[in-house]
């Protein structure tokens, strides 16, 4: 869910940036930052599980 929220926050930011014609959209920055922080742990868990499954776990 955190990965989905982060992606949606990014897509909303991108759409707004296109509408506004620039990338400085402070009203979206906090939502994007919160969603990015929330997805860090699931990302790490996924990467660790993938490395274990592929046999590429770092020593």
């Amino acid at each position: 869910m955190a990965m989905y929220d982060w992606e949606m926050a990014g897509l909303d930011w991108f759409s707004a940036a296109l509408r506004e014609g620039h990338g400085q959209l402070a009203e979206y920055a906090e939502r994007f930052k919160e969603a990015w922080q929330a997805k860090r742990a699931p990302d790490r868990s996924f990467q660790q599980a993938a490395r274990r499954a592929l046999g590429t776990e770092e020593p």
Side-chain angles (χ1 to χ4, degrees):
M1 191 64 189
M3 293 170 76
Y4 174 81
D5 288 343
W6 180 78
E7 184 173 346
M8 294 312 296
L11 290 173
D12 288 346
W13 175 87
F14 182 68
S15 295
L18 288 176
R19 279 192 312 274
E20 298 296 322
H22 59 76
Q24 304 300 317
L25 299 168
E27 66 270 22
Y28 289 92
E30 189 61 29
R31 179 178 163 211
F32 187 84
K33 181 181 173 185
E34 287 173 4
W36 172 74
Q37 290 290 338
K39 83 174 202 70
R40 290 180 72 192
D43 278 350
R44 258 185 255 114
S45 295
F46 174 79
Q47 291 168 358
Q48 290 170 345
R51 284 194 298 267
R52 279 193 302 272
L54 296 171
T56 60
E57 191 71 33
E58 297 175 9

